[in-house]
Amino acid sequence: MAGRFDPLTPTAARGGRTDVPAGRGRPVGRGAKARTYAPAGDVAVDLGLTLGPLRRGPADPTFRTTPDGSVWRASRTPQGAGTLRVSHTGDAVEAEAWGPGADWLLETLPALLGADDDPAAFVPRHRLVHASHRRRPGMRLTRTGLVLESLIPVIIEQKVTTDEAYRAWRRLVRQYGDPAPGPAGDAGLYVMPDVRTWARIPSWDWHRAGVDAKRSDTVLRAVRVAARLEEAAAMELAEAARRLELVPGIGPWTSAETLQRSNGAADAVTTGDLHLPGIVGFALAGNRHASDAEMLELLAPYAGQRHRAARLILLAGRVPPRRTPKMPRTDIARW
């Protein structure tokens, strides 16, 4: 069965897989605060699969992997900007953090690495899902506790290709963000802009980044009520989705993609997606033209774990053969 799908396809990457080089990261020190965390269970957490969904493309200025097996993230926490480095040391995870947000990042490290996730609640119901699940025992669903950090890049990804969205995110973060605290800042890692800065980005810079007025206006509406949206990180899934979707321009697709990351929502299945229903339909029933309703029917046996099931299907990489051209790439900055 394993030979029938390829985990290295672009679809698999969309399932949240990022490569972390094998190795044991060495502590950097240089003013860092440190913590060692030993996750429960017999299987080590897979850092690439667990933290991969937080990466916005291979050149994301807020996320980096290094040859020694470390994962670096720059975040804007409730206590301020912070940089986190994590790596395996045996079965435990060694973490270092810098900046005003260092204490917050170390305190929330277990949730980031899936401590709030319950993988034992997942029971595969299809052969392909079972095989994908068996091959990835270290996958956990991350919970960042930071809503805006995931919401803004998801809004930028609305209705465009991933390449366009990643390019826009890189440009805006590098232009308006802050160098990450600690040694990562010298290496080109950035913390995304704060709420006040997002609100002050002029329309022409949104345009130059390739973000149209509809999406930039949605970001501006979100940052005006940022404090209320951040409260959704502590809510149950349905209540959190309602809170986000009160903002015009944020619908079920955007709220699900956000809450999967900020809340570790195992059941936040993405609807309204151009490709996902067809991928799930083809993988589970041979139906490449499946609708959202048909996808939800296929995922019904995984109630409570539908997001995990969809991720495992994407990671399996079994997709219908392409019959139409790719979605054309546009660059509104040239208009």
Side-chain angles (χ1 to χ4, degrees):
M1 184 67 182
R4 295 177 59 189
F5 50 87
D6 178 7
L8 302 179
T9 63
T11 303
R14 186 187 168 190
R17 180 182 185 273
T18 192
D19 288 326
V20 177
R24 177 175 176 175
R26 296 181 179 179
V28 176
R30 295 175 59 180
K33 296 183 177 181
R35 174 178 183 177
T36 299
Y37 169 64
D42 299 328
V43 179
V45 172
D46 187 315
L47 296 179
L49 285 171
T50 301
L51 301 180
L54 305 179
R55 188 176 202 169
R56 304 293 175 175
D60 184 350
T62 71
F63 190 110
R64 183 164 300 168
T65 61
T66 51
D68 67 350
S70 296
V71 177
W72 295 74
R73 290 189 67 239
S75 297
R76 192 166 293 281
T77 77
Q79 296 177 2
T83 303
L84 179 70
R85 182 197 72 84
V86 295
S87 65
H88 278 297
T89 172
D91 292 333
V93 174
E94 184 179 74
E96 293 180 300
W98 294 260
D103 289 332
W104 191 92
L105 289 170
L106 293 177
E107 181 182 349
T108 59
L109 178 67
L112 184 74
L113 297 180
D116 297 334
D117 184 27
D118 183 14
F122 183 77
V123 180
R125 304 292 185 181
H126 299 83
R127 290 180 62 197
L128 179 140
V129 176
H130 176 73
S132 184
H133 181 248
R134 186 181 61 220
R135 294 176 63 178
R136 298 169 177 89
M139 187 182 88
R140 301 291 181 268
L141 300 184
T142 186
R143 180 175 188 146
T144 67
L146 300 170
V147 173
L148 231 62
E149 179 184 85
S150 293
L151 176 61
I152 291 176
V154 169
I155 293 172
I156 292 173
E157 291 170 9
Q158 292 175 349
K159 307 292 185 181
V160 296
T161 65
T162 53
D163 286 344
E164 292 172 84
Y166 293 159
R167 182 177 68 85
W169 175 248
R170 288 196 303 270
R171 177 167 183 149
L172 291 168
V173 171
R174 286 173 177 161
Q175 184 173 356
Y176 288 101
D178 300 314
D186 298 333
L189 209 65
Y190 282 81
V191 179
M192 79 168 195
D194 60 22
V195 169
R196 191 180 296 270
T197 302
W198 281 116
R200 291 178 175 176
I201 296 177
S203 60
W204 53 86
D205 276 341
W206 286 107
H207 186 82
R208 288 170 181 162
V211 181
D212 57 40
K214 183 176 181 180
R215 287 178 289 151
S216 62
D217 287 349
T218 301
V219 172
L220 295 179
R221 285 190 289 267
V223 298
R224 290 190 193 110
V225 292
R228 294 285 287 165
L229 296 182
E230 291 292 354
E231 292 173 358
M235 296 177 179
E236 294 297 323
L237 176 59
E239 185 182 3
R242 282 194 296 270
R243 175 66 62 88
L244 267 60
E245 291 169 25
L246 286 173
V247 178
I250 297 178
W253 183 89
T254 304
S255 66
E257 290 283 320
T258 300
L259 296 173
Q260 289 163 6
R261 297 164 172 83
S262 63
N263 292 35
D267 201 44
V269 61
T270 303
T271 57
D273 192 85
L274 182 62
H275 303 291
L276 186 61
I279 292 171
V280 173
F282 181 79
L284 300 187
N287 179 10
R288 62 181 298 143
H289 303 293
S291 63
D292 272 342
E294 290 169 321
M295 175 184 71
L296 292 175
E297 184 177 353
L298 288 169
L299 293 176
Y302 301 104
Q305 295 280 323
R306 293 178 298 174
H307 166 52
R308 190 192 306 275
R311 269 199 73 188
L312 289 168
I313 292 167
L314 288 169
L315 287 165
R318 187 181 180 190
V319 298
R322 185 178 294 278
R323 294 182 181 175
T324 58
K326 290 184 178 180
M327 181 178 176
R329 178 176 177 176
T330 58
D331 186 358
I332 68 170
R334 297 182 179 179
W335 296 357

